[in-house]
Amino acid sequence: NTSCTGQVVPNYFGCQDDTSRALPYCDSSLSIDDRFENFKSILTLSEKILLISPQEELGNTCNCHTGNIDRIGLPQFMWLTETNTAVASSCIKKGQCASEFSGPMSLGASFNKTSWYLKGHVFGTEQRAYMNINWHRGTGLNDYIGLT
């Protein structure tokens, strides 16, 4: 995959290759719990650490790029950048930006679980939309929005 500038675009999509699709963690007919247990059981301790540790050679460590695990078809991923008050992205064009919400402290203080759910629903919809158009955060190369 390449962008319109010819730069290689990382594949942040999980369960997209034959290796991963052959494993239970990518079997959508299984429960989330079963898929997670399988995923957890096939990782080594060093792989688990890799998945929660930023890898500076993959990009900006503030965006926490984590390494890929080829043997199970897991691509690199960027985490801890999304959805505190908005989906972290640049605007598509003037007036077409991610929805902006109050921060976690004020939302939590509302004790309104419906608003928490709705905020998450909006974030999920916007992240999928940005991912589907291969959009970026506007913070540098390889800072694309992806979901697994």
Side-chain angles (χ1 to χ4, degrees):
N1 240 357
T2 59
S3 71
C4 60
T5 63
Q7 295 290 326
V8 174
V9 177
N11 175 11
Y12 293 130
F13 298 87
C15 299
Q16 296 294 307
D17 65 2
D18 291 338
T19 300
S20 60
R21 283 193 294 250
L23 296 170
Y25 84 88
C26 286
D27 183 349
S28 61
S29 70
L30 298 176
S31 71
I32 294 292
D33 289 341
D34 289 343
R35 293 172 70 185
F36 177 71
E37 285 302 318
N38 173 260
F39 182 71
K40 191 172 64 169
S41 73
I42 61 178
L43 294 173
T44 67
L45 178 59
S46 60
E47 289 169 338
K48 290 173 184 173
I49 293 168
L50 175 76
L51 293 177
I52 61 168
S53 305
Q55 306 298 310
E56 187 171 359
E57 67 276 8
L58 297 176
N60 180 343
T61 55
C62 292
N63 288 340
C64 294
H65 285 45
T66 61
N68 61 311
I69 302 173
D70 287 334
R71 71 177 186 83
I72 63 169
L74 189 70
Q76 78 177 54
F77 192 70
M78 185 174 8
W79 56 283
L80 288 180
T81 60
E82 303 294 357
T83 63
N84 182 352
T85 57
V87 174
S89 73
S90 60
C91 296
I92 295 172
K93 64 181 182 180
K94 186 175 174 117
Q96 289 188 337
C97 303
S99 300
E100 191 83 26
F101 293 88
S102 62
M105 298 277 291
S106 61
L107 198 61
S110 74
F111 297 97
N112 184 335
K113 290 182 182 179
T114 301
S115 68
W116 304 342
Y117 169 80
L118 292 173
K119 178 181 176 181
H121 181 75
V122 169
F123 284 163
T125 300
E126 289 182 351
Q127 283 183 294
R128 284 180 194 87
Y130 284 129
M131 179 187 68
N132 289 338
I133 63 170
N134 203 26
W135 200 241
H136 57 88
R137 291 172 176 77
T139 56
L141 292 176
N142 298 329
D143 288 344
Y144 291 91
I145 296 171
L147 300 172
T148 57

